[in-house]
Amino acid sequence: MAKQRIMQLAETMKPSLDNRLTAPRSRAGAKLATITQSGRPGLALCTAAMLLVAQPGSSRAGIANGQLPDGPYHCEAYLLGLFLDLGTITIKGNVYSGPTYGGRVAQGYNYQIDPNGEVAWLGPLGGFTSGGNSVSLTQVTADDEKDAAFDIIMRQADGAFTAATCTLQPITL
């Protein structure tokens, strides 16, 4: 559902994203300005849609307790017309592990969420923080027990940005 919403936003915003941004109103806006000026309009469009969902005044997650709902979060990115699997991050309390691929057990690390819904990972984050990659921003987009989600904006070693969406997966018994 989050993917459909992002794609709908991207289509409606397409004509207005041609490097015509005004002064950023927030840290997320500053990130968007940097991404848009990088010369990668497709990525900027996708990233813009995800960041706009997280802007003040929109449906920002209610993260009053500073935690995401427990469970596995499947992460994927939309690149070149395909959804690419980026692994699963597991949340339990204030601890995360992963991303994991194929069910491997990963070491747990703490994370924090500020009042604006920005996540600070206090340890490595698999491929998001290896090989010259770094996490530029992680924003909670929903924290409902049934459809929690967050977006990760990763800066690649070559300076390009990739946006990934991680959504809470139902636990099957």
Side-chain angles (χ1 to χ4, degrees):
M1 181 157 164
K3 288 179 230 166
Q4 291 172 336
R5 184 173 174 200
I6 290 169
M7 295 310 293
Q8 288 171 344
L9 280 171
E11 286 303 314
T12 59
M13 295 173 39
K14 201 173 204 173
S16 64
L17 282 178
D18 310 342
N19 290 331
R20 289 184 240 146
L21 297 175
T22 58
R25 294 181 300 170
S26 67
R27 186 171 175 192
K31 298 283 185 198
L32 176 58
T34 302
I35 292 167
T36 303
Q37 294 166 359
S38 72
R40 298 186 197 290
L43 178 60
L45 185 61
C46 180
T47 304
M50 286 190 282
L51 288 175
L52 285 175
V53 169
Q55 289 297 313
S58 66
S59 58
R60 185 177 297 256
I63 33 82
N65 66 354
Q67 294 180 343
L68 288 162
D70 291 353
Y73 290 75
H74 176 73
C75 300
E76 57 188 11
Y78 184 76
L79 297 171
L80 303 173
L82 300 171
F83 287 99
L84 303 174
D85 180 7
L86 299 177
T88 300
I89 297 174
T90 302
I91 302 284
K92 183 162 177 129
N94 282 344
V95 175
Y96 75 94
S97 61
T100 57
Y101 311 93
R104 293 179 301 140
V105 176
Q107 180 176 343
Y109 299 93
N110 290 330
Y111 74 94
Q112 297 173 339
I113 301 177
D114 73 11
N116 294 319
E118 189 172 330
V119 179
W121 306 106
L122 304 179
L125 199 58
F128 292 101
T129 58
S130 65
N133 297 332
S134 62
V135 173
S136 292
L137 174 74
T138 302
Q139 181 68 52
V140 175
T141 56
D143 69 348
D144 185 68
E145 290 292 328
K146 294 181 179 150
D147 68 351
F150 53 89
D151 295 334
I152 299 174
I153 308 299
M154 175 183 68
R155 184 179 182 126
Q156 300 172 128
D158 66 359
F161 288 86
T162 301
T165 298
C166 302
T167 54
L168 182 62
Q169 299 299 296
I171 297 175
T172 57
L173 301 175

